[in-house]
């Protein structure tokens, strides 16, 4: 008998859609399975005002193929110049769902991010007042700090001080990648959640580096050691509502990934749910998948759970396209390197 699982329709609480031809190419891959997604604002130039968020939302909806439904939940890119009134007005109108903090230089298109965290204190205080949550890319950018330690150091040096200084600010630690991240969430329940990606649940740094470098597994924060992956799997499959799915699906043209200096990001959207069913089944926790993909995120953001469902079935290995066309280029689909049997069938 075919094994199958019906769950509430999932949402993606951390997604990069880009713009233009890339947006048109990747949007259906998310909209096919996910009802909503938190849309990252790290375009070039970034989405820093309410008006820019409204315009970007319009471009996303215009790129949605006929017959598909999808709700983009917009974010603003926090800068040292962010106007608290503009932010509050966009939030009050329901135009933005959250604000994204990138430490300047931490990752792709983060140059306009925050250098001096004291400078954004008034904005963060306003956000706490109006109930607008902060999504955080949690890595320090200090050249002295080893890339594998940047998340743990950020928690001590930046995140914890911000949270202490701004009581009531709801914070999402985006794409946690370490046991340190899990431990911090586990010991600080008030107004704190964390998203976890597909690739950080599946792979560790050996998978990326041993036997040759695999650029399609390179993302930021970078894959860590196995013990960290195990802590993430334990957190995601625990049923604890503070952890939810944020794929961080981050498409780049294939030539930018397979380059001398490879762009950070894994394009996981097309196979995210197949991968997750695999991970949760391996952990003996298929019954916890729905919470992680479909229930915990809405609860944290104070949004309703989706009304409809999807069904995943375990069948013959899934045929995963290697690439999708993007204008005259392609984007390479994340390939776990082993057969995936779970797929969305309804
Ligand atoms: O790997 C990543 N890619 N991490 C990020 O934080 C940004 C993202 C992107 O925009 O490509
Ligand atoms: Zn991201």
């Amino acid at each position: 008998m075919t094994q199958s699982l019906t769950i509430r329709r999932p949402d993606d609480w951390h997604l990069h859609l880009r713009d233009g031809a890339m947006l048109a190419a990747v949007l259906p891959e998310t909209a096919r399975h996910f009802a909503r997604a938190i849309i990252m604002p790290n375009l070039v130039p970034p989405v820093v005002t309410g008006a820019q968020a409204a315009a970007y939302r319009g471009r996303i909806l215009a790129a949605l193929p006929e017959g598909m439904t999808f709700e983009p939940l917009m974010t603003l890119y926090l800068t040292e110049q962010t106007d608290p009134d503009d932010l509050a007005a966009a939030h009050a109108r329901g135009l933005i769902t959250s604000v994204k903090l990138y430490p300047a230089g931490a990752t792709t298109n983060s140059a306009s991010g925050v250098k001096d965290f004291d400078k954004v204190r008034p904005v963060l205080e306003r956000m706490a007042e109006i109930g607008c949550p902060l999504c955080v890319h949690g890595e320090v950018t200090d050249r002295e700090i080893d890339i594998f330690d940047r998340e743990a150091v950020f928690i001590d040096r930046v995140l914890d001080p911000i949270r202490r200084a701004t009581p009531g600010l709801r914070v999402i630690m985006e794409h946690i990648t370490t046991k340190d991240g899990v431990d911090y969430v586990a010991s600080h329940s008030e107004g704190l959640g964390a998203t976890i990606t597909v690739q950080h649940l599946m792979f560790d740094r050996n998978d990326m580096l041993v036997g040759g470098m695999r650029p399609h597994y390179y993302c930021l924060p970078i894959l860590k050691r196995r013990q960290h992956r195990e802590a993430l799997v334990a957190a995601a499959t625990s049923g604890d509502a503070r952890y939810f799915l944020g794929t961080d699906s981050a498409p780049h043209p294939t030539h930018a990934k397979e380059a001398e200096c490879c762009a950070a990001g894994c394009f996981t959207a097309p196979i995210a749910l197949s991968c997750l069913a695999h991970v949760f089944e391996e952990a003996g926790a298929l019954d916890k998948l729905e919470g992680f993909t479909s229930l915990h995120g809405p609860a944290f953001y104070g949004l309703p759970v989706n009304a409809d469902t999807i069904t995943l079935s375990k069948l013959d290995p899934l045929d995963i396209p290697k690439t999708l066309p993007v204008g005259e280029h392609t984007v390479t689909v994340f390939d776990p390197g082993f057969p995936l049997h779970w797929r969305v069938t309804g």
Side-chain angles (χ1 to χ4, degrees), residues 176-179 181-182 195-204 207 225-240 243-244 275-286 288-289 292 296:
I176 54 170
T177 63
T178 56
K179 181 171 184 307
V182 171
T195 59
I196 309 179
T197 77
V198 172
Q199 66 268 22
H200 291 100
L201 290 172
M202 293 185 94
F203 295 125
D204 60 45
D207 298 301
R225 337 177 139 257
R226 189 178 75 200
Q227 290 85 333
H228 293 296
R229 182 180 76 83
E230 288 168 351
L232 297 172
V233 171
T237 60
S238 66
D240 187 325
Y243 305 102
F244 39 94
C275 290
L276 289 170
H278 171 89
V279 168
F280 277 64
E281 183 181 41
E282 255 196 348
L286 270 178
K288 300 291 197 300
L289 182 65
F292 183 70
H296 302 166

Side-chain angles (χ1 to χ4, degrees), residues 156-190:
D156 290 344
R157 280 195 197 166
V158 183
L159 181 66
D160 195 56
I162 284 181
R163 292 190 63 247
R164 284 175 196 280
T166 330
L169 179 67
R170 294 175 68 70
V171 172
I172 303 100
M173 294 171 69
E174 298 288 23
H175 43 53
I176 54 170
T177 63
T178 56
K179 181 171 184 307
D180 310 74
V182 171
D183 289 346
Y184 187 77
V185 176
S187 55
H188 296 79
S189 55
E190 209 43 47

Side-chain angles (χ1 to χ4, degrees), residues 14-16 40 42 100 102 107 137 174-175 220 248-250:
H14 182 131
L15 177 68
H16 298 268
M40 288 297 128
N42 62 333
K100 177 71 187 248
Y102 286 106
T107 187
H137 183 109
E174 298 288 23
H175 43 53
L220 290 169
D248 197 12
S249 180

Side-chain angles (χ1 to χ4, degrees), residues 7-11 13 36 244-245 273 289-299 304-306 310:
I7 59 174
R8 291 281 186 157
R9 184 172 293 281
D11 303 300
W13 300 96
R36 300 170 287 198
F244 39 94
L245 172 64
L273 293 172
L289 182 65
E290 182 180 41
F292 183 70
T293 60
S294 317
L295 308 179
H296 302 166
V305 163
N306 294 313
I310 61 161

Side-chain angles (χ1 to χ4, degrees), residues 296-316:
H296 302 166
F300 186 89
Y301 278 95
L303 294 169
V305 163
N306 294 313
D308 61 340
T309 59
I310 61 161
T311 298
L312 289 144
S313 305
K314 196 173 179 185
L315 299 165
D316 293 339

